[in-house]
Amino acid sequence: MRSSDLLHHERELLSSVVAETHCGRNRRAGKVRDLYARAGRVGLVSTDRLSAFDRAITTVPLKGRILNLLSEWWFAQTRDIVPNAVLAAPHPQLTVMRECRPLPLEFVVRGYLTGSTSTSLWTRYRAGERDFEGHSLPDDLRKNDRLPQPLLTPTTKGSLHDESITGAQAVDRGLLSAPEWERASAAALALFQRGTEIARRAGFVLADTKYEFGVDEGGTVVLLDEVHTPDSSRFWKAESLPGRLARGEEPESADKEYLRLWYADRCDPYHDEELPEAPDELRLELTRRYLHLYEEITGGHEIPFSVDEDPPHDLRAVLAEWDLLEE
Ligand SMILES: Nc1ncnc2c1ncn2[C@@H]1O[C@H](COP(=O)(O)OP(=O)(O)O)[C@@H](O)[C@H]1O
Ligand SMILES: [Mg+2]
């Protein structure tokens, strides 16, 4: 269905949401994906959960499908740069991958000076930091300015809060080998360049993103997880950016920043225990933005959706076909 048609089916979209799957005993839940790993393969189900402020804050209709299919598209566009773990995307909400040993770092790449959490570049820059992974930033940059060149600012993974780390420190601590660091960091920068070019042609700025790499059975460094989705990246509308920055306004975002701002206007989302429930109109606005991004980036690909599907049932059948379920 074309997105313009999809958006006429608001009630069906809202009731089609998949917040959790329970297809087999081996289910493991990440923040947004449900994982089914078995015999060297892993099925990653993209649910419609939206994670913000360190919690699953709401669900967004079609989010799982849009992000899964967008990621699949980017994996295909970037496999000449670095091999990836994808085997197939046999359902709009499912990618089957080779299960790899993940490198315990998030490879964050930033093209713009932005963000608001403790490890964001803007927070660190505003606190006086100037040297990042061997690059020294000038003193006169403002929030959301473009950086002189993209910066790789890795963080550790797995701990409760991400912590900034340099490649040399990560190798010293034995988190990965020096050749693994060389390979993954070069791939991250090349991927970001490719992502920036493709996004720009589609009318978007890829402001920053993060990659996850792993090592396969043969010892090769491969790209895992997801690539250039609105969960892992900031996308801004290119057209309105210069005017907005000149007026001191925030960029027009095609990611979950819209929801973050909605909450920030109404509560203290990192500290309040109870947060207001996201209204349907806000959830559907995110669906619209994600769909728009997906269509512009992929050059008009459509999201498969029909009102009489039963997503949890269909997913279970495909996971079983791929022998990914433990009963
Ligand atoms: N090919 C793969 N092999 C092993 N683990 C993977 C692979 N691809 C992704 N992962 C892991 O699967 C999880 C994806 O689910 P997600 O909801 O993003 O989790 P998280 O809460 O850790 O971000 C991540 O922990 C990621 O590191
Ligand atoms: Mg994740």
Side-chain angles (χ1 to χ4, degrees):
M1 228 188 278
R2 302 273 323 152
S3 67
S4 44
D5 299 326
L6 271 175
L7 291 166
H8 288 133
H9 293 269
E10 293 189 353
R11 208 160 344 106
E12 289 90 343
L13 289 180
L14 287 164
S15 63
S16 76
V17 156
V18 180
E20 289 181 4
T21 62
H22 294 279
C23 298
R25 266 197 313 125
N26 55 334
R27 169 197 186 248
R28 245 183 321 134
K31 285 193 289 283
V32 293
R33 260 82 56 83
D34 284 353
L35 274 70
Y36 296 87
R38 192 169 139 87
R41 294 199 300 223
V42 56
L44 286 110
V45 174
S46 291
T47 70
D48 295 320
R49 297 195 285 276
L50 186 126
S51 154
F53 314 116
D54 299 328
R55 50 184 124 184
I57 203 154
T58 187
T59 54
V60 174
L62 296 182
K63 172 177 182 278
R65 287 175 188 233
I66 299 169
L67 269 69
N68 184 56
L69 292 171
L70 183 58
S71 196
E72 190 211 353
W73 186 86
W74 280 113
F75 274 122
Q77 300 294 316
T78 54
R79 52 172 184 235
D80 60 315
I81 296 174
V82 59
N84 59 60
V86 175
L87 292 170
H91 178 284
Q93 267 172 276
L94 171 67
T95 293
V96 181
M97 291 191 174
R98 290 183 284 148
E99 190 172 26
C100 299
R101 171 174 62 82
L103 298 177
L105 290 185
E106 308 226 328
F107 289 77
V108 182
V109 185
R110 306 163 188 275
Y112 285 74
L113 185 59
T114 191
S116 54
T117 62
S118 62
T119 55
S120 338
L121 204 58
W122 171 242
T123 309
R124 294 168 65 190
Y125 182 90
R126 199 172 43 172
E129 243 185 285
R130 291 293 179 270
D131 295 312
F132 302 90
E133 277 290 333
H135 296 286
S136 188
L137 292 184
D139 278 326
D140 57 350
L141 295 178
R142 293 157 311 167
K143 186 171 187 216
N144 300 323
D145 272 349
R146 187 174 182 175
L147 296 168
Q149 73 274 310
L151 291 184
L152 177 63
T153 58
T155 61
T156 55
K157 205 167 74 171
S159 47
L160 194 59
H161 287 291
D162 296 346
E163 194 195 316
S164 301
I165 191 171
T166 65
Q169 288 166 340
V171 171
D172 278 348
R173 286 193 212 166
L175 298 180
L176 76 182
S177 70
E180 285 166 352
W181 164 258
E182 291 303 326
R183 180 75 190 106
S185 58
L189 288 167
L191 287 166
F192 190 73
Q193 191 182 342
R194 176 74 52 84
T196 298
E197 286 161 10
I198 292 177
R200 174 56 76 161
R201 268 184 257 136
F204 291 92
V205 166
L206 175 62
D208 53 34
T209 193
K210 70 104 180 127
Y211 306 102
E212 295 187 29
F213 296 93
V215 181
D216 71 10
E217 336 64 80
T220 305
V221 169
V222 297
L223 185 60
L224 315 178
D225 202 52
E226 60 182 331
V227 55
H228 300 158
T229 70
D231 270 353
S232 66
S233 322
R234 283 193 178 84
F235 285 101
W236 296 338
K237 294 279 277 184
E239 200 185 4
S240 59
L241 190 62
R244 284 184 167 236
L245 295 193
R247 292 191 298 274
E249 296 169 6
E250 286 296 312
E252 192 180 347
S253 72
D255 53 62
K256 58 192 171 187
E257 192 64 16
Y258 182 75
L259 171 133
R260 290 203 195 95
L261 296 173
W262 188 91
Y263 274 92
D265 277 350
R266 284 161 183 83
C267 57
D268 181 359
Y270 277 110
H271 299 106
D272 295 353
E273 225 162 82
E274 288 271 328
L275 298 189
E277 203 174 306
D280 290 348
E281 186 37 49
L282 171 66
R283 298 164 66 214
L284 287 164
E285 177 58 26
L286 288 167
T287 305
R288 280 181 213 114
R289 287 179 186 226
Y290 288 162
L291 259 181
H292 175 63
L293 177 77
Y294 175 77
E295 291 201 324
E296 296 298 314
I297 296 269
T298 62
H301 285 207
E302 290 174 22
I303 296 295
F305 177 79
S306 99
V307 291
D308 38 46
E309 277 175 71
D310 177 7
H313 174 271
D314 299 346
L315 275 164
R316 185 178 296 112
V318 179
L319 285 163
E321 252 170 62
W322 279 80
D323 196 20
L324 287 164
L325 299 184
E326 281 167 21
E327 303 297 332

